[in-house]
Amino acid sequence: MADTELSSKLYEKASAEQDKFRARLMDQPPADILDHAVEYAVREDILMEIGALELPDDQARALLASPDTMADIYKTFSKMADTGHMDVVRESIEDRAATLSMEQAVEQAVQEAVQTEMETLSAPVIK
């Protein structure tokens, strides 16, 4: 069973580390900030998950003992990130392209049907 106090301490520690990271980042030139934009976003995600996750006490204590918990977790994440991130990006592109293509095809079919109907209605009636 996870100790709520340990979880709170871990979140507070990670949050303070992220605040320091952000402050250091904000003192950098814009190009350097952009170079670390993904790292910052991932660290925010890590912080959010630490707040929601209930780790076993021994694991929470181990992370609390780390000199820089957020950097340690980010380092682990960055080694693992190559496994699925680009697949998700690729799937997002393909899914959106397929949806837009289908929408455009439907729109074109509707326009053609309207055009055909207009031509039929405007054709002279032969008696």
Side-chain angles (χ1 to χ4, degrees):
M1 182 56 105
D3 181 344
T4 305
E5 187 176 335
L6 280 177
S7 294
S8 294
K9 285 181 182 179
L10 178 59
Y11 181 81
E12 290 168 13
K13 179 182 189 299
S15 182
E17 291 171 359
Q18 182 66 355
D19 289 345
K20 287 179 188 176
F21 180 80
R22 183 180 191 281
R24 282 194 316 267
L25 205 53
M26 296 303 290
D27 286 338
Q28 302 301 311
D32 290 345
I33 293 171
L34 286 175
D35 286 344
H36 292 280
V38 170
E39 180 180 1
Y40 179 80
V42 168
R43 287 173 61 112
E44 285 290 310
D45 290 345
I46 290 168
L47 182 60
M48 182 174 57
E49 194 60 28
I50 286 173
L53 193 60
E54 292 186 23
L55 291 171
D57 293 352
D58 61 325
Q59 292 179 5
R61 281 189 193 95
L63 288 173
L64 280 166
S66 169
D68 193 337
T69 301
M70 291 292 283
D72 285 346
I73 295 170
Y74 179 76
K75 184 177 177 181
T76 300
F77 171 84
S78 64
K79 290 178 184 176
M80 298 170 65
D82 294 337
T83 59
H85 174 77
M86 292 310 291
D87 291 337
V88 172
V89 169
R90 188 178 309 100
E91 287 175 29
S92 298
I93 293 167
E94 291 169 347
D95 287 352
R96 188 61 185 148
T99 299
L100 289 173
S101 177
M102 188 182 319
E103 288 172 358
Q104 290 170 0
V106 167
E107 179 65 27
Q108 184 176 353
V110 168
Q111 287 177 0
E112 289 172 1
V114 168
Q115 183 65 30
T116 301
E117 185 66 23
M118 295 289 286
E119 289 170 0
T120 302
L121 293 174
S122 65
V125 178
I126 300 176
K127 291 187 180 180

